[in-house]
Amino acid sequence: SQTIHQWPATLVQPVGSPLSLECTVEGTSNPNLYWYRQAAGRGLQLLFYSVGIGQISSEVPQNLSASRPQDRQFILSSKKLLLSDSGFYLCAWRGKGHAGHEQYFGPGTRLTVT
Amino acid sequence: RKEVEQDPGPFNVPEGATVAFNCTYSNSASQSFFWYRQDCRKEPKLLMSVYSSGNEDGRFTAQLNRASQYISLLIRDSKLSDSATYLCVVNSVGGGSNYKLTFGKGTLLTVNP
């Protein structure tokens, strides 16, 4: 069965510090991978998605970036965090080769920028 | 019109009640529809897909009306454990968006003893 991992689970970082969040998927090959952010009391916002190694599509201009160095690894980064970057960061995967569009989420990283 | 719009809620119901969630979507070309459930401070989890013919999973029934671009979720005999935020989700359409889902803001349900 497929599993998705994210770490760290929680993070408190000062404004201006760098960020690196990691997501890995097990039990599937060549998945589509997604980064979402959910700010307090708000809906899910898609930040980036990737259909393959090195292929990143950005949805929202911001000070965040994403990379996919391996098939089942997706990394979210920032060089300098802003207060507005606080939120719940969720990684998700979707398998290719079947008709459904459903995505499956990791446990998330709760980021507080102080 | 928002891409996916849900009842704003919140809903507070007693145990055993029947509760219905409504959702509308703007793109008539959308093909896939889902309900996700999100517990407080947890990740969203797929509750059920929604098919044109309607589908049922135990106490949960999902309906799709393509003509009205309307999706619903009915929970019968609600349990305390049903307390969560329910998210209406539709696949994005057009351009390079085939890989994406659009999430509604969610409706919070609290089931009270």
Side-chain angles (χ1 to χ4, degrees), chain A residues 34 38 59 101 103 110, chain B residues 32 36 38 41 96 99-100:
Chain A
Y34 306 82
Q38 189 172 40
E59 289 295 297
H101 290 83
Q103 296 174 15
R110 198 161 297 276
Chain B
S32 296
Y36 278 70
Q38 186 173 22
R41 300 180 69 82
Y99 310 108
K100 302 188 290 186

Side-chain angles (χ1 to χ4, degrees), chain A residues 20-89:
Chain A
S20 181
L21 303 181
E22 189 164 343
C23 169
T24 58
V25 182
E26 296 177 356
T28 187
S29 296
N30 195 27
N32 290 344
L33 296 173
Y34 306 82
W35 278 112
Y36 291 86
R37 177 172 59 204
Q38 189 172 40
R42 302 184 66 179
L44 282 163
Q45 179 186 33
L46 179 63
L47 303 175
F48 301 93
Y49 70 94
S50 170
V51 300
I53 295 174
Q55 300 179 65
I56 308 294
S57 295
S58 175
E59 289 295 297
V60 182
Q62 58 212 322
N63 68 322
L64 299 171
S65 61
S67 62
R68 185 169 176 175
Q70 300 180 46
D71 181 43
R72 289 169 286 180
Q73 184 185 30
F74 205 21
I75 297 172
L76 183 70
S77 304
S78 174
K79 292 181 179 178
K80 287 187 177 182
L81 284 168
L82 306 173
L83 283 174
S84 57
D85 291 324
S86 292
F88 191 34
Y89 286 81

